[in-house]
Amino acid sequence: MLSLILRRLIQLPVIVWVIYTLTLILAWAVPGNPLENPEGRRPPPEVAAAMKAQYNLDSFPRFYLSYLDSATGLRWARETLSGEGARRAEAARGAGLAPPARPVFDLGPSLKHRDERVASILAGALPVSVSLGLLAIIIAVALGVTAGVVGAVRPNSFADLATLVVALVGISLPSFVIGTLLLLVFGVWLKLLPVGGWGSPVKMVLPALTLSLPFAAYIARLTRMGMIEHLGSDYVRTARAKGVGELAVLFRHALKNAFLPVLSYLGPATALAMTGSFVVERVFNVPGLGQHFINAVQNKDLFLIIGVVLVFSTMLVLLNLAVDVLYRWVDPRIE
Amino acid sequence: MTRLLVPLLLLAAALCAIVLADRPMPRADLTLNNGQDPTTLDPSQVSWTSDLRVSRLLFEGLVANDVFDPGYGIAPAAAERWEISADGREYRFFLREEARWSNGEPVRAGDFVYAWRRAILPDTAADYFTFFEYIEGVGAFFDWRLGALDAFARDSAEMAPATRAQAARDLWAETERRFGAGVGLEVVSDRELVVRLTHPVPFFLDLCAFPAFFPVYEPLVGQYDRLDPDTGRVISGAGWTKPPRLVSNGPFALTVWRFKRDMRFEVNPWYWDRDSLDVRTIEITSIADPSAQVLAYQTGAVDYLVDVNAPYRREMVAQKNAYYREHQAEHQRLVGEGWDAFEIDRRLPPDPRGLVHITPAFGTYLWNFNCSPAMPDGRPNPLADARVRRALALMIDKRAIAEQVRGLGEPVARTIVPPGSLAGYDSPEGLPCLSDCRTETEREALIGRARALLAEAGYPDPAGLPTIELEFNKDSGHDLAAQSIAKNWQETLGIPTRLVQKELTVFRDDLKTHNFITSRASWYGDYPDPLTFLEINRTGDGNNDRAFSNPAFDSMLDASYIQTDPAERLAGLARAERLLVEEELPFVPLVHYVNVSMFDAARLSGPNPHPRSIQDLSLFDILGDGIGSDEVKRVAREEHR
């Protein structure tokens, strides 16, 4: 187990480096000038060229190396060793001001929102996306497993059919339709829940519910299939023959095994719920990561594109690792 | 089974921890939506109108625009008075003694010079660099520094790291010396600043009121500047605009800025005019979705929407007009009495339809003609001939675009400068278009005129013209405008046309490289002078997408810089605009834009309906909340008439 974790953690920087290189090549090829206001005045060409040079956007190799230099902490180490960092902090204190922040791993500025460091954008948006994604997954598991068990206990009954229809709707309807529908019903007509924004648990309910439905639907189908399979298996028949109560058969025997495919689905699903909530974020005005991803690509905001991609890929690697570890822990038969 | 529950419990615990760490703030005196998040608060870098509005809240220039003066006059701000030399080339500003930064330090003349130097240096220059070129020596200094940086990049490759660092420092010392000696800025004392211009600029005070000319606090911003030994450039780091670091000199100070969530402002305790402010706290929420913005207003989450952009805003505008029609007599009387548009809404019976406000904007929707001699594919360009452009301009149904495509009640445009937006400027007549024809005979005559123009240009059969492409980006209904124009050209003259839709960044690149035949365009003015619209048609101007060149037009613009009599000068510029919109037609003006905002005029005072639409958020007041004067601010009546 420990060697698995170690091996994956050692692979992580290599994976991240390859992803950085590929992302930068692709993002660099996107047409357009990220420093340009698409509806406004264009500065004279020599000023536009000087602006690009300010961010090393005039040379691919220079950008590639300088990003690696600051993102890996090399620049920080150099400035610390040479005493440059201490000198700056001293100068700031001399003027009665807080010294400039000096992060070890500097992911650069955003090119569209030039006052923002990518790291602070990510730090602000990540908790939002993570909590929204987590709540959505919790709701999805609760809804999905319940529906799946109900369906499996009485296959082809009315209850089974009903959950099948709901699951089908959950998977096929895009979240901007479901989101807007929920918003209209609960926010505007019933006035039970706020129409959007972030900052209190009650504001999380609608976006999390919207986000959870496709996952809930998939989990319901996985659970139902697994349950039907296991309920018909020999060990369940044996348990019933031994007089084990129906509830215990369902939950202690069948569900325990039927849940394993759900568990392995939860890894990518959690990653997807945390990172793929762009539409939901937009409909409910949630300040999460997804919007930055889309906007960054549209604005050709190189630093932000790379930052978001690196965070997403790191999360995916780590969540997959977490699921593998959990899986072994839940079912020790797996090597 | 217990083992199965553990992962779920872990998820729930993580969730609770995150939610508990995030506490909401109490509601501010005034909450508004700024359209979009500011891209930067660094005055030298601002570019978007949303940036400009926030800039005016946080910083204060030497002078300010008096937005409730019908003529948008200049009012003292950080400078209490100023003197202009007889030749109009030297401005002497006297800073007020009480002007303070938000940390209590006095605002000094040197703070302006430092800020302007950042805007002028190629290392940190940005979109509004051209505004600084009016200052003596700026062009030469910029070119010298650019050349020196290029030379440095060439030579430094062979240097040892230590020599390179020293060479970069030497270059910077030389740069500072040249800036001090060559650029027409002189700090006489901490409270006296002299600016020398290359030639008289009648609107220079308006530029000084523009955020690009606002000061920054050198002890703070200097901390973030770094001399890059590899390139010799000064690299200006981000981060100093974030609270609690930001030090500013405007009416409000920034206390919270959570990216894409909210910004919170509190009165700057050191601001010299703090007692006249009517709100103590302002919150700018960040709601990106246009429909969600309207919803936020309707549920009371925000008090003011600067820009209504919801897909159903045409209907909102139509309802507002229906509301005016219902109270027509009352409305007419109030207009006759000379009240401003917002005051009229305040006096009409309350109605939810009255919350939407439509005011003229300082911008025009245009259709570009490429004037280059050759088309992008290398064939001769028929549009290089002004007669062809004029014929095409005549054959557009502009009212259909205003009413059916846009539907916001925008006035049809014949000129590029919106008429009535500049005091003392008489707009030229401009060309008629299809929608000006009231009868079929008039229409036939106009079509005949267009055909005659084409025949003169060598196209007796308009169908023989090469296919005219109409290029646009897919957003904002430009596709519908293009369809409407293409249909006009096909139906009236039988010209072959083709619609070309591009993604926005590709579209922008096509404009820049003149790789189009005709295209959609728009232009907003930055300062109150016709030049802000006319300069973009000068030969070689960075925003001359049309590749238009007419030496006579250029020299008319040059003449406006020498002419000292203001009325004569404006008349000269009107002649230049007449040349553009009646003879040369490098573009067709389609409609003059309007601004659609949303607020309850009976509850909120402070927005002004001026055609140049500078909203000074620091003047806003929630009426009847017991904070500030609670008195309505309005445009002076007798002059407004």
Side-chain angles (χ1 to χ4, degrees), chain B residues 401-422:
Chain B
I401 293 175
E403 288 171 6
Q404 280 142 40
V405 173
R406 299 188 53 83
L408 298 175
E410 288 161 324
V412 161
R414 287 180 164 210
T415 56
I416 180 168
V417 183
S421 59
L422 298 171

Side-chain angles (χ1 to χ4, degrees), chain A residues 49-51 53-54 56 58 62, chain B residues 122-124 145-146 149-150 152 168 171-172 226-235:
Chain A
M51 285 169 75
Q54 290 163 20
N56 288 328
D58 51 344
R62 189 153 357 108
Chain B
D123 317 44
T124 41
R145 171 79 178 163
L146 209 55
L149 286 176
D150 280 347
F152 185 91
L171 175 59
W172 177 245
R226 186 166 60 85
L227 195 59
D228 181 11
D230 295 333
T231 58
R233 294 172 181 279
V234 174
I235 294 176

